[in-house]
Amino acid sequence: MESAPRHQEFKIILGSSSVARRKILADMGFEFTTMSADIDEKAIRKDKPEDLVVALAEAKADAIVGKLESNENQEKDDKPTVVIAADTVENVQPKLHSKEDAEPTLLITCDQVVVYEGMVREKPSSKEEARQFIKGYSGRHAATVSSVLVTNLSNGTKKGGWDKVEIHFHDIPEEVIDKLLEEGLVLNVAGGLIIEHPLILPYVKEVVGGTDSVMGLPKALTRRLMEEVLQIEHLQ
């Protein structure tokens, strides 16, 4: 596990409900909160997998920024806004630019697809499709394409990128696939692919790239993008 920074002089919102991404960001030593974008991912289509995951990360960021702005406007409209007592008037409406809010806030949004034989695979739509996906990996190979977009909400600066990893598999027994489908976690991830899962891990022959990227959040790319939007040379 990577050591945590002594003092984190910025806030982080991870725009994802993924347990794996939360674990990776925590392992990087950062404190953060999470928000979900709740977008219709199927409504966004691109020919290239790299373009698709970047567009989806941008759409998620836009949706979360919209939620934050809506919440802020709601706070402005809340009443009462003043308290009158002992000849004084105190504004108790939350201040938008308090000392606490002077720190930059970074929003991190991500997306991932699996590419198999040139075809893009997103989350399986059914157990039958998940079975087809996993059987296809048996004795063969696939790739993950993962995007990261970091938005500095304090000044609107955005930096994004993508990372690709290739995974080679041994033959995957039918009974292992049955157990994976019965458990159901493979239905919630791109391509039905969870290489860190104890059931599938013994059948992973080789990973060309970072396992953190396969899990949905490439550490090196994420750290570099954070540095760029914060305009610092090195993030401890």
Side-chain angles (χ1 to χ4, degrees):
M1 182 172 177
E2 300 181 27
S3 59
R6 292 182 181 179
H7 178 58
Q8 182 175 309
E9 297 181 346
F10 50 89
K11 299 175 183 179
I12 297 175
I13 300 171
L14 175 62
S16 173
S17 58
S18 163
V19 174
R21 289 189 180 112
R22 291 203 302 265
K23 183 181 185 306
I24 292 169
L25 195 57
D27 285 348
M28 291 173 69
F30 296 115
E31 296 179 357
F32 56 92
T33 57
T34 61
M35 286 187 71
S36 180
D38 302 323
I39 66 169
D40 179 8
E41 298 186 15
K42 300 291 186 182
I44 299 173
R45 300 291 87 186
K46 299 288 182 181
D47 292 333
K48 295 181 179 179
E50 297 85 358
D51 293 341
L52 176 60
V53 293
V54 167
L56 286 166
E58 290 174 348
K60 290 175 181 179
D62 291 343
I64 290 173
V65 168
K67 280 187 178 183
L68 292 169
E69 290 175 346
S70 177
N71 292 342
E72 187 176 273
N73 290 334
Q74 182 62 46
E75 286 181 358
K76 287 180 180 179
D77 293 338
D78 284 346
K79 298 180 182 298
T81 59
V82 296
V83 173
I84 302 175
D87 298 326
T88 65
V89 178
E90 179 184 2
N91 188 345
V92 296
Q93 182 174 329
K95 296 179 176 61
L96 298 179
H97 302 289
S98 64
K99 183 178 180 181
E100 181 184 355
D101 292 332
E103 300 171 329
T105 298
L106 305 186
L107 170 62
I108 301 174
T109 50
C110 325
D111 196 74
Q112 183 185 71
V113 296
V114 170
V115 180
Y116 176 75
E117 294 186 340
M119 300 295 291
V120 170
R121 291 180 168 181
E122 298 177 83
K123 294 176 184 177
S125 58
S126 64
K127 284 190 175 183
E128 290 72 22
E129 187 172 50
R131 180 184 296 278
Q132 176 193 343
F133 284 175
I134 300 169
K135 286 183 72 172
Y137 305 140
S138 182
R140 308 190 76 172
H141 61 87
T144 58
V145 180
S146 304
S147 65
V148 180
L149 177 70
V150 180
T151 305
N152 187 334
L153 298 179
S154 304
N155 59 21
T157 303
K158 293 182 180 182
K159 295 290 182 178
W162 55 269
D163 186 60
K164 188 173 184 178
V165 177
E166 194 166 279
I167 310 105
H168 296 257
F169 294 91
H170 297 292
D171 291 338
I172 305 171
E174 195 75 31
E175 57 268 25
V176 169
I177 299 175
D178 290 340
K179 289 179 181 177
L180 286 167
L181 294 174
E182 183 180 348
E183 183 188 68
L185 290 177
V186 293
L187 297 171
N188 301 320
V189 295
L193 186 61
I194 314 178
I195 67 163
E196 72 276 13
H197 194 291
L199 284 172
I200 204 71
L201 189 57
Y203 304 101
V204 176
K205 183 178 181 180
E206 182 184 12
V207 178
V208 184
T211 55
D212 49 298
S213 182
V214 181
M215 293 169 66
L217 189 66
K219 290 181 180 180
L221 175 61
T222 302
R223 193 178 295 276
R224 175 172 63 81
L225 297 174
M226 292 170 68
E227 290 172 356
E228 289 179 3
V229 299
L230 288 169
Q231 297 182 330
I232 58 177
E233 292 184 2
H234 183 64
L235 194 61
Q236 296 294 331

